[in-house]
Each structure stands twice: as C-alpha cells, then as structure tokens.
C-alpha cells in the first residue's frame, strides 16, 4: 500500500444558502514514500482543496484518504497524520504565528509536546537546513518573502514529517525568492522526504518524478514529466503551457529537425542540437 | 516605513535587569506599585526614587529614556498638582489672592500625588523598556496559569497577544499599501474636517478588515496543520526558571519596600 492513498475522493463545498461547489470529482491518487510528485492545474481546478485532504484539514465528501495506513477520518489519529504530513501554504505572511524566527520554528514541536532540549536541537537543525541560522532572533516581518517561506519550511521540518505538501509556495515570491525556495525543496528531497508540489507553473514540474494535471476538479492526466509534455492537446485544454525547452523541441521537430523526445533542460537541448551536425 | 516600527518600547541591552526572569520582574513591579501607595512621608519617596535610580543604573539605560516616558502623563501630573493646591484644605495658609488660596495640606498632598504618579510611570516603563513583548507575554502566561482552574484562559490570552504582536506590522504595512493605492486614484486622507477625514477612511478600513478575516482563516488552518490544539499538552522551547539573581532581586526590592513604607 502506498504512503498516501486517495480512493474515489470527491469534495463539495457547502456554505450556507449558496449553491454547493464540487471542487473535486472521483480522484484516485497514490503517493509513494520518497517520491516527488507535482500537482498542476489552472486557477480553481481544486489544487488547494486536494492539498487540504492530504492531512485531514478537510474530510472528503465521498471516498477515503489514508496516510501511512491511517484513515484521515480517524479523529484519534489526526494529530499523528498531521505530524507525518506537513504543509507549506502559498501566502508566507498568513502562516507564520510567532514574533521571532526561532519561536516560529519551535511552534510545531511545542505542539507535539516534546521536551525543551529536543525542541532546541530540532530548531537548530531546521534553521541550518534552510540556511537561516543568523536570523534566529529576527522578527518574521523583517524578512523577505523567500526567507519567510524558508522559515515556514523549517517550522514544518522541525516536526520531522515524512511528507511535505507545498501549495504554490512560490506564487507570491519574486524570482530570487522562488529560486531559494526551490533549492530548499530539492534539499528536502535529497533528505528523503516525500514531496507533493502544487503549482501552476509548468517549468517547476520538470524534475519531479510524477506529474498530475487537474482540470475542473478532475484528474485528466498522470505520468512522468516527459510523458505529460507529449500530451500537448490536453495541456492546452487545461489552460496550461508547455515549459520553454519542451515547447522549443516541439516547434523544432515540427520544423523538421530530428530531435528525440527526452529533452527537458537547455543543456541537453544544446547537446542534442550539436549532435545533429 | 511603517514596517520598521518597533512595538512597545523595549531597548535591547546586556544588563542584569534585562536578564531577570520576566515573571519576577512583573511580580516585583506589582509589589512596588502597591508599596508606592503606602508611602506617607517625604523620606519614603526619597528612598523609592533612589530605588528607581538604582534600577536605571543596573539596566544600562539612560535616565533620559525613562524621563521621556513621563511626557505623555505631564498633563495629568500638573492637573493633579493644581487641583490639590487650590482645593485641598488644611494646615496653614501659604498664599491668598482674592478667591485663590493655597494651604500647606494642599501643597503637600499635591506634591506627594504627583511624585507618586511619576514614580509609578517610571517603574512600569522600566519594565517594558527592559522586557521584550515576547518575554512579557511568556511571563504573563506563566503567572496567570494557576488561575486557569477559575476559568481564566491564560494560554489563549497569551496566544492572542502573540498573534496580535505578529500581525500588527503586517496589517500596518497593508494599510499603507491600500492608502497609497487609493491616493493614486485621487482619494484624499489629509484634508477637510475631522468628519470628512473619518469618512475617507471607510474605503481603507473595509478592504483592510476583509483581508484581516482572510488572514485569520489562513492562519487558523496553518496552525491546525502544525498540530496546534490549545495549551493542553503543549511544551515550550524556552522554559522559564528562577535563578539566584531573580531571588536576589526580589530580596533587594522587598527590603526597599519595607524601608520606604516604614519611613
Ligand atoms: N471556501 C470555499 N467555499 C466555496 N467554494 C470554494 C471555497 N474554496 C474554494 N472553492 C471553490 O472550489 C474550487 C476549487 O478551489 P481551489 O481553491 O481548490 O482551487 P485551486 O486550484 O487551489 O485554485 P488557485 O490556483 O486559485 O489556488 C473553485 O471553484 C473555488 O471557487
Ligand atoms: Mg490554491
């Protein structure tokens, strides 16, 4: 059994007198330990809703979600599940609670009821991982967007989760901050963390193990980045765009150049183009 | 920029007073405040003033900073003095001109009252000058914790204070942004009558409130995702422990209180 499993999951928002909104329909999905999967889709396709199902913040209207064999509807185990599956949200300002960086990182472990010495050790370790040791006494509102997001990541890392779900963590950042955050995520990946990466930038899925495309609450495509980039029609249907390199390769092949499919980076494109002569 | 405001008036120094346990500082402040109300003589006030100057010296702060803290209450000080001067009767007549009459009792009560307020304000601002808002919050949470069994939500109060401290700069920054955006479209926040100016704030406050509610929603979600479930079973990274210097400070302060009450 996979680490996270969604079986026939649907989710409907019901709020007061407003008509119900079905945000997710019949989603089947599994995430293996150590994998990095990307979930991509246009605005309103249900990405954030899906993210909140992974750690029991939302309960599916239909179907079931399990994490490490535990069902997220099991209220006795909900805190174990949330410890195992951490979550980093889009807006860096709205997920930091404390007035000092080190207190912020300690917040999660404090909630787990760990002894003070353990928390200190974990905070040191987490701040080292994201490279913000010298900011431990700083106030979060004095940090840049990218730094705030790294503090949020450190706060999750200090809880020792197996899996971290990122819900568009770079959407509100400048290119510099985006780079910092992406580098930090790669670091987590090399630490063996399972990563669910939600985005609507196609370029960011290039080096994931698996990509899932959502459209209007349905999973319309699943596969490796290479496989997904071949399905140009579906990608266009979902209002998404091919990343630059695969798009260039596609156009070059249309123009008659004999290029192979598996080109994802500018370097490999250069290499393959040089081989042509 | 609004973003760079410092909340409270904490001034970071490496001093004995700064390093005391916030709980002890709060308790001592309370004791001294109560003590101040029992002072009945000139010598008592002198000793109390000496106590405050000793603390200022130990906290490596300039006395000017403490005096500056008195400015906002200047009016109250003068008002108290004047009221007592002219309306408190008793003792010998010191001055008489038409219906104005100052008697010695009035002069003394007025001066005592004014000095008492001055000492009180200096003392409490010394507390906030030497204790960061975070430490104050932590200290209050610990001190209020025993009252939980009477239904006082100590942890929740402290958490609310923390979140307020965390979000005030963020919301100020946002207010500034909205204001600039509205000004760019011709909104005028600076001229006209008070009524007009208050009215022009409506288009600022509405979006600000809406966004604050959205932030609150997001924050609640983020806290839950990080296993927050109230104060029950929660531990702290920085535990507070009384050290010998805290007990020393208590002993020192207590002896002063006794002396200035007796005098
Ligand atoms: N609280 C809510 N109440 C009602 N409907 C909602 C609520 N939150 C989201 N929806 C609706 O559910 C659908 C999916 O929303 P969701 O936020 O999951 O999309 P998303 O893919 O994360 O979009 P975005 O890229 O904008 O973050 C949308 O149609 C949205 O309008
Ligand atoms: Mg979203």
């Amino acid at each position: 059994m996979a680490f996270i499993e969604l079986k026939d999951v649907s989710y409907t928002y019901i709020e007061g007198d407003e008509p119900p909104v079905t945000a997710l329909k019949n989603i089947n999905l599994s995430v293996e330990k150590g994998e990095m999967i990307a979930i991509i889709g246009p605005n309103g396709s249900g990405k954030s809703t899906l993210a909140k199902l992974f750690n029991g913040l939302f309960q599916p209207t239909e179907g079931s979600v399990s994490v490490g064999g535990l069902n997220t509807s099991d209220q006795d185990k909900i805190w174990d599940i949330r410890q195992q599956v951490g979550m980093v949200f889009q807006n860096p300002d709205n997920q930091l609670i404390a007035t000092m960086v080190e207190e912020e990182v300690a917040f999660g472990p404090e909630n787990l009821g760990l002894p003070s010495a353990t928390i200190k050790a974990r905070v040191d370790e987490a701040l080292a991982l994201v490279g913000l040791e010298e900011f431990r006494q700083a106030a979060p509102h004095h940090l840049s967007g990218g730094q705030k997001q790294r503090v949020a990541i450190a706060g999750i890392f200090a809880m020792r989760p197996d899996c971290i779900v990122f819900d568009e963590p770079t959407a509100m950042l400048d290119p510099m901050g985006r780079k910092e955050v992406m580098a930090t995520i790669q670091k987590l990946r090399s630490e063996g963390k399972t990563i669910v990466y939600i985005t609507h930038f196609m370029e960011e899925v290039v080096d994931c193990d698996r990509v899932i495309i959502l459209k209007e609450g349905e999973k319309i495509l699943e596969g490796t980045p290479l496989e997904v980039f071949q399905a140009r029609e579906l990608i266009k249907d979902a209002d998404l765009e091919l990343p630059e390199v695969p798009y260039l390769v596609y156009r070059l092949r249309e123009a008659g150049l004999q290029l192979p499919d598996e080109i994802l980076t500018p370097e490999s494109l250069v290499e393959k183009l040089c081989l042509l002569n | 920029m609004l973003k760079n405001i410092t909340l409270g008036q904490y001034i970071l120094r490496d001093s004995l007073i700064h390093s005391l346990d916030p709980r002890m500082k709060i308790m001592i402040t309370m004791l001294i405040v109560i003590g101040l109300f029992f002072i009945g003589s000139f010598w008592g006030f002198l000793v109390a003033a000496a106590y405050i100057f000793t603390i200022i010296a130990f906290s490596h702060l300039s006395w000017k900073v403490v005096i500056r803290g008195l400015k906002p209450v200047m009016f109250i000080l003068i008002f108290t003095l004047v009221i007592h001067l002219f309306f408190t009767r008793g003792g010998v007549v010191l001055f008489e001109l038409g219906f104005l009459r100052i008697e010695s009792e009035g002069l003394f009560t007025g001066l005592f009252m004014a000095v008492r307020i001055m000492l009180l304000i200096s003392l409490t601002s010394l507390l906030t000058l030497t204790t960061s808002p975070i430490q104050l919050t932590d200290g209050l949470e610990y001190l209020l914790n025993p009252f939980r069994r009477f239904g006082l939500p100590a942890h929740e109060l402290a958490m609310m204070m923390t979140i307020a401290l965390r979000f005030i700069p963020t919301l100020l920054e946002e207010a500034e942004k909205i204001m600039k955006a509205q000004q760019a479209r011709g909104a005028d926040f600076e001229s006209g009558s008070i009524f007009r100016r208050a009215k022009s704030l409506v288009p600022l406050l509405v979006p600000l409130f809406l966004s604050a509610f959205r932030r609150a929603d997001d924050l609640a979600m983020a806290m839950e995702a990080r296993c927050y479930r109230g104060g029950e079973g929660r531990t702290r990274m920085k535990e507070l422990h009384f050290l010998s210097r805290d007990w020393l400070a208590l002993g020192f302060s207590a002896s002063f209180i006794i002396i200035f009450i007796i005098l």
Side-chain angles (χ1 to χ4, degrees):
Chain A
M1 194 164 147
F3 178 51
I4 299 180
E5 278 204 352
L6 276 72
K7 284 209 187 84
D8 298 317
V9 167
S10 299
Y11 189 88
T12 306
Y13 286 99
I14 301 170
E15 264 171 35
D17 308 332
E18 289 168 43
V21 181
T22 300
L24 291 173
K25 292 167 210 145
N26 292 317
I27 305 278
N28 284 291
L29 183 76
S30 59
V31 184
E32 300 289 342
K33 267 229 166 103
E35 221 187 354
M36 175 161 179
I37 78 160
I39 296 172
I40 186 164
N43 285 338
S45 55
K47 305 183 296 292
S48 298
T49 312
L50 185 58
K52 287 168 190 152
L53 287 163
F54 284 131
N55 64 354
L57 284 173
F58 286 177
Q59 296 297 335
T61 317
E62 272 166 57
S64 70
V65 180
S66 73
V67 174
L70 306 171
N71 195 309
T72 58
S73 65
D74 185 350
Q75 286 304 314
D76 296 335
K77 295 281 188 286
I78 193 73
W79 304 109
D80 292 332
I81 291 171
R82 293 200 183 142
Q83 183 269 317
Q84 282 181 47
V85 180
M87 192 169 276
V88 175
F89 297 86
Q90 178 173 357
N91 189 330
D93 277 324
N94 296 0
Q95 57 183 321
L96 303 181
I97 296 114
T99 42
M100 205 198 276
V101 167
E102 59 177 353
E103 299 269 351
E104 178 62 40
V105 179
F107 181 76
E110 287 180 340
N111 290 334
L112 297 178
L114 298 170
S116 154
T118 315
I119 300 178
K120 278 195 189 111
R122 287 197 184 187
V123 169
D124 291 343
E125 184 193 30
L127 284 175
L129 179 100
V130 301
L132 289 174
E133 293 108 317
E134 72 265 43
F135 291 95
R136 54 183 315 150
Q137 309 275 344
H141 69 270
H142 286 148
L143 302 180
S144 73
Q147 288 171 332
K148 282 183 205 167
Q149 242 10 1
R150 276 148 69 200
V151 172
I153 294 173
I156 301 295
F157 183 77
M159 295 176 76
R160 297 263 165 95
D162 297 308
C163 170
I164 305 181
V165 179
F166 291 87
D167 187 358
E168 302 197 48
T170 59
M172 303 182 72
L173 305 181
D174 54 14
M176 187 58 201
R178 191 168 292 170
K179 238 193 220 151
E180 289 169 22
V181 170
M182 292 309 284
T184 311
I185 295 174
Q186 288 304 335
K187 229 180 200 172
L188 291 170
R189 191 183 183 188
S190 61
E191 294 261 321
K193 300 284 180 206
T194 309
I195 287 168
V196 176
Y197 188 80
I198 294 173
T199 181
H200 64 252
F201 296 115
M202 266 291 195
E203 311 87 78
E204 294 184 340
V205 311
V206 172
D207 46 28
C208 291
D209 298 313
R210 206 145 50 89
V211 182
I212 286 159
I213 299 188
L214 284 186
K215 185 193 169 192
E216 290 165 13
E218 284 176 279
K219 183 169 96 178
I220 58 166
L221 193 61
E222 175 171 358
T224 62
L226 265 180
E227 287 164 1
V228 167
F229 294 152
Q230 303 312 310
R232 274 179 306 274
E233 288 309 311
L234 274 174
I235 289 178
K236 227 168 146 192
D237 271 355
D239 280 328
L240 297 167
E241 272 170 27
L242 273 184
E244 283 170 8
V245 174
Y247 181 70
L248 188 58
V249 172
Y250 160 67
R251 292 299 298 268
L252 288 171
R253 289 202 328 175
E254 257 191 350
L257 289 185
Q258 300 287 313
L259 287 169
D261 286 333
E262 68 277 5
I263 303 175
L264 289 176
T265 61
E267 291 77 25
S268 64
L269 177 59
V270 169
E271 192 184 312
K272 292 292 178 342
L273 281 173
C274 292
L275 284 181
L276 280 181
N277 294 319
Chain B
M1 272 261 291
L2 280 175
K3 186 177 166 178
N4 294 326
I5 58 153
T6 45
L7 286 166
Q9 33 176 356
Y10 178 61
I11 299 177
L12 183 71
R13 286 287 142 81
D14 185 15
S15 85
L16 173 69
I17 308 291
H18 282 73
S19 68
L20 289 177
D21 188 303
R23 291 172 297 174
M24 195 52 97
K25 281 195 266 189
I26 296 171
M27 286 193 299
I28 290 177
T29 307
M30 272 162 45
L31 284 177
I32 301 269
V33 166
I34 295 169
L36 282 177
F37 281 97
F38 289 101
I39 300 183
S41 74
F42 170 75
W43 293 107
F45 281 116
L46 205 67
V47 173
Y51 172 79
I52 287 184
F53 275 100
T54 318
I55 295 188
I56 296 177
F58 272 118
S59 63
H60 298 180
L61 290 170
S62 140
W63 55 272
K64 284 186 200 140
V65 196
V66 183
I67 299 293
R68 210 182 303 146
L70 291 176
K71 260 192 200 149
V73 291
M74 223 43 190
F75 173 75
I76 299 180
L77 283 178
I78 293 169
F79 187 72
T80 315
L81 190 60
V82 169
I83 290 283
H84 278 294
L85 268 186
F86 293 114
F87 296 102
T88 303
R89 295 277 171 252
V92 290
V93 179
L94 297 172
F95 175 85
E96 196 161 10
L97 185 91
F99 63 95
L100 289 179
R101 201 167 74 181
I102 298 178
E103 294 178 9
S104 61
E105 193 72 11
L107 180 66
F108 286 128
T109 328
L111 279 177
F112 276 15
M113 239 9 207
V115 171
R116 188 172 280 146
I117 296 173
M118 265 163 67
L119 293 176
L120 211 98
I121 301 292
S122 324
L123 190 76
T124 42
S125 60
L126 267 175
L127 175 67
T128 50
L129 281 166
T130 62
T131 322
S132 72
I134 303 174
Q135 285 179 310
L136 272 181
T137 315
D138 270 1
L140 278 175
E141 178 174 0
Y142 269 88
L143 285 176
L144 295 178
N145 224 9
F147 299 100
R148 281 236 315 252
R149 78 182 82 126
F150 306 115
L152 187 87
H155 167 74
E156 286 75 5
L157 283 173
M159 186 52 85
M160 274 162 58
M161 257 163 81
T162 308
I163 292 176
L165 285 170
R166 154 75 185 77
F167 276 90
I168 287 169
T170 309
L171 290 176
L172 280 177
E173 201 184 334
E174 183 162 30
E176 199 180 15
K177 234 185 259 168
I178 299 174
M179 228 156 136
K180 285 211 179 108
Q182 311 260 27
Q183 275 169 339
R185 292 181 216 147
D188 181 5
F189 294 106
E190 270 130 33
S191 60
S193 64
I194 288 198
F195 182 71
R196 243 186 94 108
R197 258 187 279 175
K199 221 173 121 188
S200 71
L201 282 180
V202 172
L204 170 72
L205 292 178
V206 171
L208 197 61
F209 266 95
L210 284 178
S211 111
F213 280 118
R214 186 156 19 85
R215 284 179 196 281
D217 254 356
D218 283 2
L219 188 70
M221 197 66 94
M223 286 169 80
E224 253 186 80
R226 281 161 78 184
C227 293
Y228 179 72
R229 51 202 124 154
E232 217 60 55
R234 189 174 140 81
T235 49
R236 300 305 306 270
M237 170 172 71
K238 291 180 191 152
E239 288 169 339
L240 293 177
H241 296 291
F242 287 127
L243 303 174
S244 45
R245 58 172 177 239
D246 296 305
W247 297 116
L248 228 84
L250 180 65
F252 176 78
S253 308
S255 29
F256 260 94
I257 296 177
I258 293 170
I259 295 174
F260 67 56
I261 292 182
I262 291 177
L263 286 173

